[in-house]
Amino acid sequence: MPLLVKDGEIVTADSRTRADIFCEGETITRIAPHIEPPPGTEVVDARGKYVFPGFIDPHVHITLPFMGTLAKDTYETASRAALIGGTTTLIEMCCPARADDALGAFEHWRAQAEGRSACDFTFHMGATRYDAATESQLREIVGRGISSFKIFLAYKGAFGIDDTELYRTLRLARELGVIVTAHCENETLVFERQRELLAAGKTDPGRHHESRPPEVEAEGVHHLMTFAEMTGAHTYIVHLSCREALEEALAARRRGVQVSIETLIQYLVLDKTWAERPDFEGAKYVMSPPLRDAANQPVLWNGLREGLIQTVATDHAPFDFDGQKRMGEGDFTKIPNGIPSLEERINLLHTFGVRAGRIDLHTLVNAASTQVARIFDLYPRKGAIQPGSDADLVIYDPDHRGVISARTHHMNVDYSAFEGWKTEGRPSAVTVRGKVTVRDGVFVGDPAGGRFLRRTPSRA
Ligand code: URP
Ligand code: ZN
Ligand code: ZN
């Protein structure tokens, strides 16, 4: 059935127009001031609403064996939560353990999503080891539609790679035209700090950020930038949290290093005092890099507004407070890292970014959709509202008033880091490739309607 989105205000990364959008099959076919719906057309009334291109979360974890446990969401739960929050495409980190084969991991991660996702999806392929077999498997995976790798300079003994592996992964990426996303923290510094803190009996969640101060992240960024400069690889810094790391990345960019920067909604709206809350409550706010001093928040908002930071992600990594975060009682290094927020990213950006006057609507669309699509070879299929693009649309009611709670959210996790927070705005309808999947906060779509998105490296 064709779809007509009528009388909305279309807001893209660089334009704002009142017009109708006609979609046939899976794509947008016409945009005009007034379109008469042919018989049999489904009409979505968008009067008084914004119409955004579907949002893309460039950094989520759904299948994640990590720190002795497994992230809680499945594609069934995560994709519904994503859609209700306005995110129509997920880019998940495929993270094999060092001992695992890259190809086997890719097939496993894809199998978790295939036929179980309500929204579209693709992966950043984790390069958690580098040897001859891994190299040929990474080549094969790129041939199967993946155009980005993921590396960790942190998590000693788990996903972290050494400098030889880093150099070779970047060389391979350069050759294949693949962009390399990177978690930048110096793992040796983290490890030594953790040892010292624990030896001094400092075991509570509030010590987590003491073990990973801004210098640790800045060193990680500096390190990556040096290797990127030497290899010519295109890089993308995931979850950048602080001024020191931003300065390192911008200095590298000024000397010609190819680097894009992602920050997270958590760093924009939460600070380290949340992780210092008593009675182990702080564990809900343990993630890496850690929440920072509040002085970093205006730096990140300004960076976004000025286009120095390209994207806002969630690094969604859902671990229950009871049973999972509590594994770290008495030892903060055992608290599974992550602050779930897949469902809340857009509403928080709208409330604390746009409504608070820190960014405009175009910056929101750019950072949460269009730039992501451009960087990760999805544009203009995704991230755009134009004839030929996938009909992924978010009809957004800026006047809706909501309250966030774990009792009502759709993510499969027993707490919300934003419990009781008031939000302004929410998606009133969401479409994926021409089908309405959400109406007024309720999922009404095909639970298995999502598709794997094949991508071709564009930097070859
Ligand atoms: O704390 C975090 N960020 N958890 C997820 C894993 C990662 O580092 O991205
Ligand atoms: Zn990370
Ligand atoms: Zn992550």
Side-chain angles (χ1 to χ4, degrees), residues 326-397:
R326 283 198 189 280
M327 286 161 46
E329 272 176 313
D331 180 349
F332 70 87
T333 68
K334 296 198 164 56
I335 301 170
N337 286 198
I339 304 180
S341 38
L342 176 58
E343 192 169 343
E344 319 297 357
R345 176 180 63 140
I346 302 307
N347 294 339
L348 290 171
L349 264 178
H350 184 256
T351 305
F352 296 98
V354 177
R355 285 289 171 131
R358 295 182 172 107
I359 56 170
D360 63 16
L361 279 172
H362 304 293
T363 304
L364 184 156
V365 173
N366 206 23
S369 178
T370 307
Q371 277 295 335
V372 181
R374 285 186 188 279
I375 293 168
F376 294 115
D377 306 313
L378 290 167
Y379 189 86
R381 178 173 177 190
K382 306 290 189 189
I385 299 184
Q386 62 188 48
S389 294
D390 280 359
D392 295 355
L393 300 168
V394 176
I395 294 89
Y396 197 83
D397 178 1

Side-chain angles (χ1 to χ4, degrees), residues 20-42:
D20 297 349
I21 304 172
F22 191 61
C23 312
E24 290 166 287
E26 301 193 337
T27 54
I28 297 170
T29 51
R30 246 184 102 201
I31 301 171
H34 178 80
I35 299 174
E36 247 340 283
T41 299
E42 178 171 11

